[in-house]
Amino acid sequence: MEHIAAIMLLVGCSHGGLTCEELPVPQVAFETMEECVGALPAALGGAGTGKRIVHGRCAVVDPAWVEEDVEIDWRLTRQNGLEVHVRQVQPPAGDVIVADNAYPVETAARMH
């Protein structure tokens, strides 16, 4: 793969919408948005189970960011479904690994 122009993200939620988590995808990075969108139906079909509702989205990635630190945020909204935002960030000072699941439980509960 020469460059990355899009990523795929799948999120599985309980039927009540109280808990959501990222799910593994068959392929994360794509050279074009069209390739990602074309692969999304099969990925959604492969991730679905009777125990959760699966949401999927492709997001644009600036190919220049391949060697940079990026942050991927996602949230579910009633209006837009799964929203994915990819942005370049400054690396943390020192040897720090930062992870944050900022998914508000209250928002998920109101969705359904």
Side-chain angles (χ1 to χ4, degrees):
M1 186 174 286
E2 289 183 20
H3 68 276
I4 298 171
I7 60 164
M8 181 186 296
L9 181 72
L10 297 180
V11 174
C13 299
S14 64
H15 281 289
L18 295 176
T19 59
C20 294
E21 64 183 357
E22 292 180 25
L23 301 174
V25 293
Q27 181 177 340
V28 175
F30 296 84
E31 289 186 5
T32 67
M33 179 62 106
E34 292 77 19
E35 288 177 6
C36 185
V37 171
L40 191 56
L44 285 166
T49 70
K51 297 181 181 179
R52 64 180 170 226
I53 299 169
V54 179
H55 306 269
R57 180 80 63 191
C58 293
V60 173
V61 176
D62 186 330
W65 293 351
V66 171
E67 299 296 325
E68 304 296 327
D69 288 330
V70 296
E71 179 177 83
I72 302 168
D73 291 325
W74 61 269
R75 68 182 185 144
L76 288 167
T77 67
R78 178 171 281 163
Q79 296 80 18
N80 299 322
L82 178 60
E83 295 179 354
V84 180
H85 302 280
V86 182
R87 63 182 154 273
Q88 188 177 11
V89 295
Q90 295 298 320
D95 294 332
V96 177
I97 298 175
V98 178
D100 181 26
N101 182 357
Y103 191 84
V105 174
E106 295 81 20
T107 300
R110 289 193 305 261
M111 288 181 46
H112 299 284

